Amino acid sequence: MFTRRVAVVGTGYVGLTTGACLASLGHQVVCADIDAVKVERLRRGVVDIVEPGLSELVSEQVSAGRLSFVVGAAQAVSAGFPGEGAGELDAEIVFLCLPTPMGVGGVADLRAVEAVVEETRDLLAPGTVVVNKSTVPVGTTVRTAELLDRADVSVVSNPEFLREGSAVHDFLNPDRIVVGCDTAEAAERVAALYARLGAPTVLTDAASAELMKYAANCFLAMKLSYVNAMAELCERVGADISDVTEGIGYDRRIGQAFLSPGPGWGGSCLPKDTHALLQVADAADFEFRLLRATIDTNTRQRQRIVDKVRAAVTGRRTGSLTRVRLGLLGLTFKAGTDDLRDSPALAIAALLRQAGADLVGYDPALVAGGSDGAVDGAVEGVAREVEGVPLVSDPVEAAQGAEAVVVLTEWPVFRTLDWSAMAGVMKQPVVVDTRNLLDPATLRRAGLTGIGLGRREA
């Protein structure tokens, strides 16, 4: 079986998923992180990320001896793999899976990537291939090669297309593999890592591969902003967004995906990638008006939700929310994850709080403490507060005395709540469903008034 020695630097969503999945494909993988406590937990198979199937896969590959964890990138790339006899071998391929957060002015912050490159530059074995897996601006592959200053080391762009909440599935069932490099041999070595997956493979130059990731994410952001705008138009003309999106979704040129209205898009990728692509466009003296409108529409959507809550509670879009108690269901940026980064739910919560509302929240991913560093004040494994929103461990408690319950994250469990019990403890029987997740008939039977996005009044 074809096997490579692979080092993965970074054990976040992308790095840990990449390492575990490559190990499952038969490769020998060492993952590195600077957090010694996290590394020790991973060695014991303890995964703190909420990601379906990832914990089991890590434990399975650690037990099989194909996946290990070390502290620091230097240890991962140099003498990290068992060889014949008592010898050790260096990594053949090094994946950089590091955070590239949005910096000043929307530019991607590449300091973590550059620091690792400088740390490992003199440790890489001749012939090593360095792979940028992180989402990075166009030109980063060239910049990385310049920082390495190693003619005997190739740099390849291999962008990830993983969705939080289905990252393992997405890695093992990819729509495509993209590999960009100006050296064909290096690109083919990286592409060969995924051979067992049988996915379509796009071999291209580095700049095209880097731009491809931004192009994909920004297109999805545009699609989401478009459907939110359509939902508002439906409300104004008496149409139903569910019927509209069903009808257009059957068109194969459009498809069903990313046609669900919501409180706006967020998370660790779309916000920073849309701003980063704007920076790329500005640097190329190109006015990307469509993308700028996509971002503006998303920002406006948050205020639109707040206005909808005002109207639901007071009967007027400009009504006062001062001292109005609201129960918030869902605070993570999407279902299936405990990730709170750029969560539209938290952005809306902040606006509601600024308007004077008293908030209490419930999220099934946060009642056990949430992700490390994201949730403050965990006591006995239960988070008390997230960015000023007090948390409770039961949805009925969130509804207690509320003048409205606001569904902000599309957790499937919310569909099967005891809505009669919820109605029984609320001050006003109103549910604002910003995800169109709930069945209006179920809410009516429970004595509740359900208000969705772009839905025709029943």
Side-chain angles (χ1 to χ4, degrees), residues 73-366:
Q75 189 176 349
V77 305
S78 179
F81 298 85
E84 295 182 3
E88 291 187 326
L89 301 173
D90 297 328
E92 299 173 274
I93 300 177
V94 178
F95 280 84
L96 303 182
C97 302
L98 299 158
T100 55
M102 184 164 55
V104 178
V107 178
D109 185 342
L110 299 178
R111 284 179 294 180
V113 174
E114 293 175 351
V116 169
V117 169
E118 292 178 2
E119 177 186 353
T120 60
R121 176 173 50 212
D122 298 328
L123 302 175
L124 299 170
T128 301
V129 177
V130 174
V131 182
N132 271 328
K133 195 72 170 172
S134 308
T135 302
V136 294
V138 176
T140 302
T141 299
V142 173
R143 171 63 177 157
T144 301
E146 291 173 347
L147 287 174
L148 284 171
D149 194 23
R150 292 276 303 269
D152 58 346
V153 172
S154 300
V155 183
V156 170
S157 174
N158 174 219
E160 53 84 16
F161 298 95
L162 307 179
R163 298 166 298 166
E164 289 184 36
S166 59
V168 172
H169 177 273
D170 290 348
F171 190 102
L172 298 176
N173 301 273
D175 294 323
R176 73 291 203 194
I177 303 294
V178 175
V179 183
C181 184
D182 297 330
T183 304
E185 190 272 336
E188 289 167 358
R189 285 178 65 190
V190 173
L193 293 172
Y194 305 95
R196 289 182 57 188
L197 299 178
T201 301
V202 179
L203 296 179
T204 183
D205 59 274
S208 296
E210 290 165 340
L211 189 58
M212 214 174 294
K213 175 58 186 291
Y214 285 117
N217 276 357
C218 291
F219 183 84
L220 295 176
M222 287 185 217
K223 199 171 180 182
L224 289 170
S225 285
Y226 177 79
V227 77
N228 279 335
M230 284 300 304
E232 182 174 3
L233 181 59
C234 283
E235 292 176 8
R236 297 190 180 206
V237 302
D240 192 297
I241 190 64
S242 299
D243 293 341
V244 171
T245 54
E246 179 184 9
I248 67 175
Y250 285 120
D251 188 326
R252 285 174 292 180
R253 298 168 300 174
I254 297 173
Q256 300 280 356
F258 281 72
L259 283 182
S260 298
W265 39 266
S268 62
C269 293
L270 297 190
K272 74 178 182 68
D273 290 355
T274 48
H275 282 90
L277 188 57
L278 273 185
Q279 291 297 319
V280 171
D282 288 344
D285 196 26
F286 172 62
E287 178 57 41
F288 207 149
R289 291 188 177 89
L290 182 58
L291 183 55
R292 199 174 297 279
T294 295
I295 296 171
D296 292 344
T297 299
N298 193 55
T299 301
R300 180 177 178 275
Q301 183 70 1
R302 298 169 180 177
Q303 187 59 54
R304 181 167 117 77
I305 297 300
V306 173
D307 291 344
K308 188 172 280 287
V309 173
R310 288 180 189 272
V313 172
T314 70
R316 295 181 295 114
R317 290 178 68 250
T318 58
S320 174
L321 290 176
T322 301
R323 297 183 182 176
V324 170
R325 181 179 172 89
L326 300 172
L328 308 182
L329 296 187
L331 294 174
T332 56
F333 90 92
K334 62 180 284 189
T337 179
D338 60 349
D339 197 344
L340 297 167
R341 289 175 291 179
D342 272 304
S343 170
L346 289 179
I348 289 166
L351 292 174
L352 291 170
R353 193 166 57 249
Q354 289 171 16
D358 294 328
L359 308 178
V360 62
Y362 168 80
D363 191 296
L366 304 180

Side-chain angles (χ1 to χ4, degrees), residues 20 50-59 168:
V50 175
E51 187 63 48
L54 184 56
S55 180
E56 295 82 356
L57 189 63
V58 168
S59 296
V168 172

Side-chain angles (χ1 to χ4, degrees), residues 337-418:
T337 179
D338 60 349
D339 197 344
L340 297 167
R341 289 175 291 179
D342 272 304
S343 170
L346 289 179
I348 289 166
L351 292 174
L352 291 170
R353 193 166 57 249
Q354 289 171 16
D358 294 328
L359 308 178
V360 62
Y362 168 80
D363 191 296
L366 304 180
V367 292
S371 57
D372 290 349
V375 178
D376 298 323
V379 176
E380 297 179 352
V382 177
R384 294 182 305 190
E385 184 175 292
V386 174
E387 295 192 13
V389 181
L391 291 187
V392 293
S393 58
D394 184 89
V396 175
E397 191 176 350
Q400 182 76 44
E403 296 191 43
V405 164
V406 186
V407 178
L408 292 169
T409 308
E410 73 284 18
W411 288 101
V413 68
F414 293 158
R415 291 195 185 99
T416 56
L417 294 179
D418 186 342

